[in-house]
Amino acid sequence: MTIAKVDVNVVDVGQGQCTFVEIYDTTGKLTNTLLFDCGTDKASDQTDANLNYIAGKIYGMDSPTIDRIIFSHSDNDHISLTRPLLNKLEKLYKPSNAKPKFKVKQVVYGGNQSDYTKAGRNILETLVNDGYCVQGNVSGLNSNYTQYNSAQKEFTKSIWESPDANHDVKVHVLVANTESARPNINAASGPPPAKKSRTSEVLNRVSIVCALFYKEICYVICGDATNRTMAWANLFLSPSGQLPEVFQDNTMTTLPHHGSRKTGLTVSKNQNASDSNIEIIETFAKILQSDTISISSYELHEHPSLELINRFKPPLTAPLIRDPRLQQDNAHRIQCYYDQDLIITAPLVTLTENLSYTFDTQSNIFGTRYSGDDPYLTYNFGSDSAQSASGVNTPQPINSHASWKYTTQANGDTTLVGVPDLQSTKFTESPTTTVL
């Protein structure tokens, strides 16, 4: 088998996170799939169509399989759609079509196994008891875990490799279960994490941060990583400040914890973030060197935070896509919350702290919450000024949600499109200027 392309789908599931990866061979056949989280607390109108897309792709395979499910942690909005997806796969199974029943080859999870019990059912046990996966292929990770060797400056282990001769697709763990207050990336990892207090920042420290590589092209999937998690990952930076080369072709990073300011900067709503916590965020973003940022978000919990997004502003400044329905050239939309310690001037509009706004932007930052009824502005992330947006230039409605499909070819060329849902045609097109 020779891999010809990899599709990385940042899936709109409303309030939650899901990344679905499709791996194709040179004949156009889907040979392998990966699922990073699959959950929601409040589904969007497009969530069911997106699950149908995932189920349909899997049952289009010769042997319907998810090679690896990686649950970053046990929160509902990262695991709760797994059962509905299994139900859809069950409905697609017909003994008469000569295809085997759907299987999961392996499951890896962050945090404590017992925390995956919701409403009396444990999804890890369900995958085994219902015959989808073998017990021995469901495993957690130890505390303070990484597969990056800072001495060799490379990943020396993986949690999945594609079965082609060169193992062109690999998934590595940057960090997981960051319980220690004093990280030491070369220290032996400890036992699996114990249950902790129920505060949001502490609970989410267990999140697995993964890096998927297709040859040299990289995608980083952060789960609900907190400020402490990112402090651990910052040890990838050499003592002299040299950036690790492994991320030099990082195409996309998912913004940690849906862009939560509370856990990303370890700060309450009415406080400014500390300089040290801001430095951790900015160092993490600098290390990853990501061309684009994706954000899984909805209307709950006042995220994504505009402050956090600004700390992750990608180094690639030329816009990758445009929405032709918008008046601003090469722009698309993203919704986020304005934060108290930001100073952004916007003629004719007074920005109010902790309120949501829709921004028309040329920045390479893409959210699953795309457009709404909130006041909207023209703003490019990282700047200190915005303009009042003048609306759309056609009567066609703007989709309120979006999924984002990254396609990387064998030669490294990568394209990006936005779709209202994964079963629909794209609403984006190439920008009016050359970007790469």
Side-chain angles (χ1 to χ4, degrees):
M1 161 186 151
T2 300
I3 296 174
K5 72 167 184 172
V6 175
D7 286 346
V8 177
N9 301 283
V10 180
V11 185
D12 163 43
V13 287
Q15 173 53 47
Q17 188 160 296
C18 176
T19 304
F20 178 59
V21 178
E22 308 163 47
I23 300 171
Y24 291 86
D25 68 12
T26 52
T27 69
K29 182 182 294 186
L30 178 61
T31 59
N32 303 93
T33 66
L34 305 169
L35 188 65
F36 297 83
D37 288 333
C38 189
T40 190
D41 270 344
K42 183 176 182 182
S44 74
D45 293 339
Q46 288 72 39
T47 298
D48 193 62
N50 291 333
L51 290 183
N52 286 335
Y53 172 89
I54 295 172
K57 282 291 183 180
I58 291 170
Y59 250 100
M61 302 172 70
D62 290 344
S63 296
T65 304
I66 297 179
D67 289 84
R68 184 76 90 250
I69 296 178
I70 299 168
F71 291 125
S72 62
H73 64 302
S74 60
D75 282 357
N76 270 328
D77 62 338
H78 290 253
I79 69 171
S80 64
L81 288 177
T82 311
R83 181 75 258 181
L85 177 61
L86 296 176
N87 292 340
K88 290 180 181 294
L89 289 161
E90 285 287 346
K91 290 179 180 179
L92 290 174
Y93 172 66
K94 297 178 177 59
S96 59
N97 69 8
K99 285 190 177 183
K101 292 189 72 171
F102 163 73
K103 294 292 183 182
V104 178
K105 289 187 177 179
Q106 287 190 304
V107 180
V108 176
Y109 62 90
N112 189 282
Q113 189 270 349
S114 62
D115 288 335
Y116 286 79
T117 299
K118 311 291 182 183
R121 297 192 68 179
N122 186 297
I123 190 59
L124 302 176
E125 295 175 356
T126 294
L127 286 164
V128 173
N129 295 339
D130 290 1
Y132 298 109
C133 191
V134 177
Q135 176 67 60
N137 290 340
V138 178
S139 58
L141 299 176
N142 288 343
S143 296
N144 309 323
Y145 182 82
T146 181
Q147 294 181 328
Y148 183 77
N149 187 304
S150 59
Q152 298 182 30
K153 298 181 173 58
E154 62 182 4
F155 289 100
T156 54
K157 298 179 181 179
S158 62
I159 55 171
W160 187 77
E161 297 181 353
S162 55
D164 57 299
N166 296 320
H167 304 298
D168 282 337
V169 180
K170 296 181 180 181
V171 179
H172 306 286
V173 175
L174 276 72
V175 289
N177 299 328
T178 52
E179 301 220 301
S180 171
R182 292 189 176 184
N184 180 353
I185 214 80
N186 287 326
S189 58
K195 284 189 172 182
K196 294 289 184 180
S197 70
R198 309 307 294 177
T199 62
S200 178
E201 194 278 326
V202 173
L203 284 172
N204 287 298
R205 290 177 188 172
V206 300
S207 285
I208 302 174
V209 180
C210 286
L212 180 147
F213 286 85
Y214 175 32
K215 297 183 177 178
E216 301 301 321
I217 304 301
C218 176
Y219 295 87
V220 176
I221 302 167
C222 290
D224 280 3
T226 70
N227 195 268
R228 174 174 289 186
T229 311
M230 287 179 270
W232 263 78
N234 288 352
L235 290 178
F236 289 16
L237 194 68
S238 72
S240 64
Q242 182 181 1
L243 296 174
E245 293 184 0
V246 291
F247 301 118
Q248 63 184 356
D249 290 318
N250 184 2
T251 294
M252 184 273 288
T253 295
T254 62
L255 196 66
H257 201 175
H258 320 278
S260 167
R261 183 175 187 268
K262 180 178 181 181
T263 60
L265 290 164
T266 317
V267 66
S268 67
K269 180 187 296 186
N270 297 318
Q271 293 179 328
N272 289 336
S274 68
D275 290 343
S276 60
N277 286 347
I278 290 173
E279 183 180 8
I280 287 171
I281 291 282
E282 292 183 339
T283 302
F284 184 64
K286 181 181 178 182
I287 287 170
L288 296 182
Q289 309 168 65
S290 186
D291 286 342
T292 72
I293 299 295
S294 69
I295 310 171
S296 299
S297 60
Y298 199 40
E299 61 192 26
L300 301 178
H301 309 310
E302 295 190 358
H303 56 51
S305 153
L306 184 56
E307 178 184 10
L308 202 70
I309 295 173
N310 277 327
R311 304 295 178 185
F312 274 85
K313 186 176 183 292
L316 181 64
T317 57
L320 288 177
I321 55 97
R322 67 184 295 266
D323 185 338
R325 301 169 297 181
L326 303 180
Q327 287 190 348
Q328 184 190 7
D329 287 342
N330 301 340
H332 59 281
R333 284 190 166 172
I334 184 172
Q335 287 186 282
C336 52
Y337 284 82
Y338 181 70
D339 303 304
Q340 66 178 40
D341 58 351
L342 294 175
I343 300 174
I344 298 177
T345 59
L348 307 180
V349 175
T350 300
L351 277 69
T352 304
E353 295 168 8
N354 303 315
L355 287 186
S356 178
Y357 292 86
T358 300
F359 293 98
D360 292 355
T361 183
Q362 295 181 350
S363 301
N364 291 309
I365 299 173
F366 308 100
T368 57
R369 188 182 181 201
Y370 188 70
S371 183
D373 298 328
D374 306 315
Y376 57 96
L377 305 170
T378 296
Y379 176 69
N380 289 322
F381 294 93
S383 61
D384 58 5
S385 63
Q387 298 294 322
S388 299
S390 54
V392 299
N393 53 18
T394 74
Q396 181 180 4
I398 298 290
N399 43 285
S400 57
H401 298 273
S403 292
W404 302 95
K405 180 183 289 288
Y406 292 81
T407 299
T408 298
Q409 307 289 342
N411 64 359
D413 289 349
T414 300
T415 57
L416 170 66
V417 298
V419 291
D421 64 72
L422 289 172
Q423 294 185 319
S424 300
T425 58
K426 63 182 181 180
F427 64 85
T428 61
E429 60 185 34
S430 298
T432 56
T433 57
T434 301
V435 298
L436 293 174

